[in-house]
Amino acid sequence: MAEIIYFRKVVGYCEGFSFIVGNVIGSGIFISPTGVIRFSHLNVGVALCIWGACGLLSLMAALCYAELGVSMPSSGGSYYYNKRAVGPIPAFIFMCTRTFYRSPASAAVKALTLSEYYALQPFYGECEAPEVTKKSLAVAVLLFLTIINCFNTKWAVLVQKVFTFLKILALTVIIFGGISQLYNGKTGSLANGFSGEIASVSDLAQAIYQGMWAYSGWSAVNTIAEELKNPRKNIPRCISTALPVVTLLYVLVNVSYLTVMTPKEMTMSAAVGNTWASRVLGSFFWIIPMSVAISTFGSINGSTFLQGRLKYAASREGHLPSFFSMLNIHHLTPAPGIILSGLLSILFVISSSLLTLTSYFGFFSWVVITMTCISLLVLRYREPDLPRPYKVPLPIVLLTIGAGIFFILAPIIRSPKKQYIYGLLAMFGSLIFYVPFVHFKLRFKFFDKVTYIMQLLCEVSFIDESKAFKGK
């Protein structure tokens, strides 16, 4: 008799921890310090407090996700929670925006950053690498990770674990470099403490906004909940340990930066990590550019892994074609979703002009976080009997919602631009497809043919073909 095939539960606590840490730590900690210190008005004490506050705020939001994750351990994370709590339309808008624009654009930016600044720069020095070379290397990285994630979940998880270890090792090198400077009495800008101008509330908000970019990606374990061993136990454990570790690393790394650089020098540096390395590591400065490349590579791998699961969940709910909810019969991976993510990311790399709106989708993350926390309150009211092995305190939920609303409105009010309107139009433009194909369930005859072709090309199915054959 045929049996439905499911994901293998191959992600334990260590793997879940590595997915959060590996997905969060990308190139942000090597670049974001510039924005944080600038909007802190070069005040060292304020900047360090902001890095800690960003970690605390991320942990608060993640704890809200932890309650939802243990109550509904389903692939898709925020998409599934919002659909269940506030309805299919907001969930569909979220899914389309993340699937067809934000995530592939983000992966493309990371791949181009890796290619241009950290992989090719050692070979070209002060000269700029040819555009074709940069894009070719970025495409090669995306293709390689797409293939790895399609063929074996364990390989993808192993890549994530190894590269997460290397990321932490790289940050540890920077931290111990700073400790060495302090031991030798070189306190640098740290001696200034909170002296200097205190930034306005508006600028402090912008500084936090800059810092939060380096913390994005902490919802990873919620998206892969169906592959997580004992998710009701491991989701809270992964979140409650990974984010404090990341926060501690980030604060200490910034302390290390400030032992050899002034706040003004940090604002003028295109890559703070590289500047630090040239002053502290001497002839071994190449360790940091290489480490940033490793960090970015691991972050792209994590994003590729997660995107396949989001499309799988959306297809299962009827929001994408059915073949996206099929698994490869040999490797049990959501191959169609992973391939689509890879192709879209490559398209963004080739057509770099499409990336111009990316910076204006920063508020989109906070829209999703705020909606998800509101969904938590809705489900507490609507489904009070839903099992909740972990329950986040109500004040944390309300504070997170308040912060979310603030961060959605702050950049728009501070610097209103027509690009935000374009971003909103792109988000709500997805309803053009929702009404006919989801709400009215419009189907054309060629849909079945496309599904059949995709099944053959990707070797995917809803059922375990080997067991179906044996049952006969």
Side-chain angles (χ1 to χ4, degrees):
M1 183 177 179
E3 293 185 17
I4 297 175
I5 55 178
Y6 300 98
F7 286 119
R8 289 194 185 103
K9 290 187 176 291
V10 297
V11 182
Y13 165 74
C14 290
E15 292 81 5
F17 177 91
S18 71
F19 262 103
I20 294 178
V21 174
N23 212 39
V24 170
I25 301 176
S27 60
I29 186 58
F30 302 95
I31 297 171
S32 285
T34 299
V36 173
I37 198 75
R38 181 171 68 250
F39 286 105
S40 299
H41 288 203
L42 309 184
N43 191 306
V44 172
V46 171
L48 292 176
C49 287
I50 283 173
W51 279 104
C54 289
L56 179 61
L57 185 56
S58 298
L59 180 60
M60 289 167 54
L63 291 175
C64 296
Y65 274 59
E67 177 179 328
L68 291 165
V70 298
S71 303
M72 300 167 286
S74 174
S75 291
S78 296
Y79 162 77
Y80 181 77
Y81 312 145
N82 286 314
K83 182 178 182 297
R84 184 158 173 171
V86 295
I89 293 179
F92 184 83
I93 292 172
F94 154 71
M95 182 276 298
C96 286
T97 306
R98 186 171 172 185
T99 295
F100 296 104
Y101 190 89
R102 192 175 185 278
S103 290
S106 176
V109 169
K110 291 174 184 177
L112 287 168
T113 300
L114 184 156
S115 173
E116 182 172 2
Y117 294 105
Y118 304 108
L120 296 177
Q121 195 177 57
F123 299 100
Y124 286 89
E126 298 297 324
C127 301
E128 186 175 353
E131 194 72 14
V132 173
T133 306
K134 290 187 289 187
K135 291 188 176 184
S136 297
L137 181 56
V139 168
V141 168
L142 292 167
L143 278 175
F144 176 75
L145 289 175
T146 298
I147 292 169
I148 288 289
N149 278 271
C150 280
F151 276 94
N152 200 309
T153 298
K154 288 186 177 180
W155 290 355
V157 171
L158 179 62
V159 168
Q160 196 67 15
K161 287 174 68 176
V162 170
F163 278 78
T164 297
F165 171 77
L166 293 174
K167 291 180 188 189
I168 294 176
L169 184 63
L171 294 182
T172 303
V173 168
I174 295 176
I175 290 168
F176 275 97
I179 291 174
S180 174
Q181 294 291 315
L182 292 173
Y183 180 78
N184 292 322
K186 299 177 181 178
T187 57
S189 301
L190 294 172
N192 298 329
F194 287 90
S195 62
E197 182 184 355
I198 300 296
S200 65
V201 174
S202 175
D203 283 339
L204 288 175
Q206 194 66 21
I208 294 174
Y209 207 80
Q210 293 283 324
M212 288 302 295
W213 179 67
Y215 282 94
S216 60
W218 44 258
S219 61
V221 289
N222 292 76
T223 306
I224 60 173
E226 289 183 31
E227 293 163 271
L228 196 64
K229 300 172 185 175
N230 196 359
R232 297 184 189 280
K233 179 181 178 181
N234 280 326
I235 288 178
R237 284 179 64 199
C238 291
I239 287 171
S240 60
T241 53
L243 278 171
V245 167
V246 172
T247 303
L248 181 63
L249 288 171
Y250 278 8
V251 172
L252 293 178
V253 165
N254 276 276
V255 168
S256 182
Y257 287 156
L258 289 163
T259 60
V260 296
M261 300 174 67
T262 66
K264 189 171 183 178
E265 286 174 331
M266 287 181 68
T267 62
M268 296 172 65
S269 174
V272 178
N274 287 0
T275 305
W276 179 91
S278 65
R279 297 185 181 184
V280 177
L281 300 181
S283 60
F284 293 96
F285 78 94
W286 53 268
I287 291 175
I288 297 305
M290 184 184 71
S291 300
V292 179
I294 288 170
S295 288
T296 309
F297 186 88
S299 184
I300 299 170
N301 179 68
S303 175
T304 303
F305 190 93
L306 298 174
Q307 274 303 295
R309 277 66 187 170
L310 174 60
K311 294 173 183 63
Y312 172 87
S315 174
R316 194 168 54 182
E317 299 295 325
H319 285 179
L320 282 176
S322 60
F323 55 82
F324 284 111
S325 58
M326 298 179 186
L327 299 180
N328 183 277
I329 59 175
H330 303 296
H331 311 296
L332 299 184
T333 58
I338 294 170
I339 292 170
L340 177 61
S341 294
L343 292 176
L344 288 173
S345 298
I346 289 170
L347 176 64
F348 277 103
V349 167
I350 295 171
S351 303
S352 298
S353 58
L354 293 174
L355 296 174
T356 53
L357 289 177
T358 304
S359 59
Y360 299 99
F361 271 79
F363 71 97
F364 171 74
S365 295
W366 279 106
V367 171
V368 174
I369 292 170
T370 306
M371 280 182 55
T372 303
C373 291
I374 292 172
S375 295
L376 185 151
L377 296 179
V378 170
L379 289 170
R380 280 189 183 182
Y381 174 77
R382 188 185 295 167
E383 302 184 37
D385 298 326
L386 187 69
R388 291 178 174 86
Y390 169 78
K391 194 171 183 179
V392 66
L394 183 61
I396 290 180
V397 184
L398 297 177
L399 282 171
T400 306
I401 292 173
I405 293 172
F406 177 80
F407 287 117
I408 292 167
L409 299 177
I412 300 175
I413 294 173
R414 177 185 172 85
S415 180
K417 295 179 180 179
K418 61 183 179 182
Q419 282 87 345
Y420 288 115
I421 298 175
Y422 297 156
L424 289 171
L425 288 175
M427 288 172 60
F428 288 98
S430 59
L431 293 177
I432 296 173
F433 301 97
Y434 177 85
V435 174
F437 297 113
V438 179
H439 183 74
F440 289 109
K441 302 186 185 303
L442 178 64
R443 294 290 182 272
F444 295 108
K445 289 183 178 180
F446 70 86
F447 281 9
D448 292 335
K449 186 69 174 178
V450 171
T451 300
Y452 176 71
I453 293 172
M454 289 302 299
Q455 282 189 271
L456 291 177
L457 290 175
C458 300
E459 295 187 302
V460 293
S461 178
F462 291 119
I463 64 172
D464 189 331
E465 301 286 355
S466 61
K467 291 184 179 180
F469 181 76
K470 289 178 182 177
K472 292 180 182 179

